[in-house]
Amino acid sequence: MIVAKRKPIDEIKDLLKDYKKVLNVGCGTCVAVCLTGGEKEVDVLCAELDMARKMDDNPVDIEGTTIERQCDREYLEALDSKVEGYEAILSMACGAGIQFLAERYPEIPVLPAVDTTFIGVNQGVGWYEERCRSCSSCVLGMTGGVCPVTMCAKGLYNGPCGGTNDGSCEIKKEQPCAWYMIYERLEKQGRLDCIINFKPAQNWENQVPRTLIQPGYEKPE
Amino acid sequence: MKAGSNLEKILEAGHFAFTGELGPPRGSNADEVREKAEFLKGNVDSVNITDNQTAMVRMSSWAASIIAIQAGLEPNYQMVCRDRNRLAMQSDILGAYALGVRNMLCLSGDHQQFGDHPQALGVFDIDSMQLINMAKTMRDEGKFLGGADIEEPPKLFIGAASNPFAEPFDWRVHRLAKKISAGVDFIQTQCIYNMEKFREFVKRANDMGLLEKVYLLAGVTPMKSVGMAKYMKSKVPGMDVPDEIIKRLQGAEKGKVADEGIKIACEQIEEFKELKGIAGVHLMAIEWEHMVPEIAERAGVLPRPEV
């Protein structure tokens, strides 16, 4: 899932300082699962902002609502009848959702309440770790299911570098060396031949905005 | 001859090579490079010019390489993958070659988090292995990585680093093999202190026939103090400093610790001269350039052969 973290209240307050009537929109998918921008967090942020603005003697009329997915037109539609009359929209969705909202309501300022952080896994309640950089050319098949682009601090395709430190990355002891893990796993599986050959330079495909149209589908006119 | 550098000629002629290292200044004073160069001149076959080492901003490696050439040294131009993408790397290779650089060393580079700009974007567009291959393709095929022809291909003698100690140890020799298949001509190793482990690494490399395909220069850094040895042991990633080294330095007479460090280095060099598959020594006298003449003398590597 996409993991995000909420921006500090002061930053959000600053973004909203010129607006008196704000709609705060949560998203019920990834950011809800990672406890950042779902229904509950929308309520908490609305209450925080309401209180903070009162204390600043600059009250705000803020209303919260959460839709299933901000990255999906079908669900955004539900907002069409609500946005009227708001000076600004605050979005608690990931960067994709925020942009989709801004695209739908181009006359209204749409502002981010979260920082989109990574594509990751749920290690425990409230504990998430990054696993994928969506590079568009997955090498997990040859690297024992450990992503060198994401999990190696240098994104090496021919690791490990000389800085690997008893299984840790040179950047810090707590960070496992991705290439050490790759080696260990492939060795156990008897598949070290997967990484024995030199891997040539990567053709980066994530340097321009990407579009995907599934086979059998077309982009509507 | 692939590049015709002095280092290549020395190695090709079968001489035991001796290379040094020079760190460019944290400023724009060319005299600092020239002063360090004076200590190295005549005592080494080629000198590595480091590239923003430890991820700290310094005078650019190629500019310091040119100053070194003017000062009568042959540079081994270091290039790390951290700070440049493939366009910048290739253009710097062309420029350095045009100005007389004939050796280069391809490195991943210390992570930016170590240095004085931890907020920087680490580029790592290609890795050190891919950099070796790119430099070789430019030289031998006369083509850029993108496939286009190069009008006058840069003919560089291509080096890389090898850490014989970092885990997984069993993989180290295979990684060396990969660098050879990527096209490396010579290797300079990480500083060696654990001789037993290094001998094992060399044995395995010999068994695989690797040291017939590449010139391996053993990395040596004399310990200046007990504190330095302890720091290297505990704080420098990938460094293997056995307790015996620390004990030996601790046992040295007062004021004689650095001398003991040089003595250890010289003993290592003596062994390397006899070790099958070792083509030379790379001396990394970090911020100790003024000691290079003495170390070279005591290591019995002077005078350097003329080729």
Side-chain angles (χ1 to χ4, degrees), chain B residues 272-289:
Chain B
F272 295 142
K273 286 179 190 168
E274 305 303 325
L275 202 56
K276 187 189 163 210
I278 304 297
V281 158
H282 176 52
L283 178 74
M284 291 162 274
I286 304 157
E287 292 305 315
W288 223 24
E289 288 85 357

Side-chain angles (χ1 to χ4, degrees), chain A:
Chain A
M1 70 176 145
I2 293 170
V3 177
K5 66 174 183 215
R6 213 198 76 187
K7 283 180 177 292
I9 188 71
D10 287 344
E11 190 180 340
I12 300 173
K13 261 174 67 186
D14 193 52
L15 284 168
L16 293 177
K17 65 180 185 302
D18 298 329
Y19 308 109
K20 303 263 186 215
K21 198 167 158 52
V22 175
L23 181 65
N24 182 14
V25 186
C27 180
T29 309
C30 308
V31 290
V33 178
C34 69
L35 311 179
T36 301
E39 208 170 348
K40 200 173 127 218
E41 293 78 25
V42 167
D43 288 348
V44 170
L45 179 58
C46 286
E48 263 185 87
L49 282 167
D50 182 57
M51 178 126 38
R53 289 281 289 260
K54 270 183 194 146
M55 284 172 72
D56 291 350
D57 222 8
N58 179 23
V60 62
D61 177 1
I62 186 160
E63 194 200 332
T65 185
T66 299
I67 58 172
E68 191 59 30
R69 274 204 289 282
Q70 289 191 27
C71 59
D72 204 322
R73 278 209 183 88
E74 191 188 327
Y75 298 105
L76 281 185
E77 229 177 81
L79 290 175
D80 291 355
S81 57
K82 284 193 186 165
V83 297
E84 180 91 22
Y86 286 100
E87 294 169 23
I89 300 174
L90 188 63
S91 169
M92 298 193 77
C94 71
I98 299 167
Q99 290 185 62
F100 219 30
L101 208 55
E103 196 177 310
R104 194 169 182 98
Y105 308 113
E107 283 84 29
I108 310 172
V110 175
L111 307 162
V114 310
D115 290 313
T116 305
T117 311
F118 51 74
I119 300 177
V121 295
N122 197 340
Q123 284 281 30
V125 180
W127 167 22
Y128 313 97
E129 284 180 359
E130 185 173 17
R131 287 293 185 271
C132 177
R133 293 267 166 96
S134 64
C135 73
S136 279
S137 30
C138 192
V139 293
L140 289 169
M142 70 157 222
T143 57
V146 177
C147 174
V149 179
T150 312
M151 305 305 287
C152 169
K154 298 176 186 173
L156 304 179
Y157 280 89
N158 293 282
C161 74
T164 174
N165 208 359
D166 290 331
S168 290
C169 175
E170 67 178 26
I171 60 163
K172 58 178 180 202
K173 198 84 198 136
E174 307 76 56
Q175 181 63 48
C177 166
W179 276 96
Y180 187 86
M181 291 194 284
I182 291 168
Y183 173 84
E184 293 271 286
R185 196 170 293 168
L186 290 176
E187 194 203 16
K188 283 202 183 88
Q189 296 175 356
R191 292 170 67 219
L192 281 173
D193 57 313
C194 287
I195 53 168
I196 205 96
N197 293 321
F198 161 69
K199 177 96 170 65
Q202 176 71 352
N203 295 325
W204 294 110
E205 291 175 36
N206 57 355
Q207 302 299 298
V208 292
R210 289 165 279 178
T211 297
L212 169 73
I213 298 162
Q214 295 289 14
Y217 290 82
E218 271 173 31
K219 195 173 172 179
E221 285 305 311

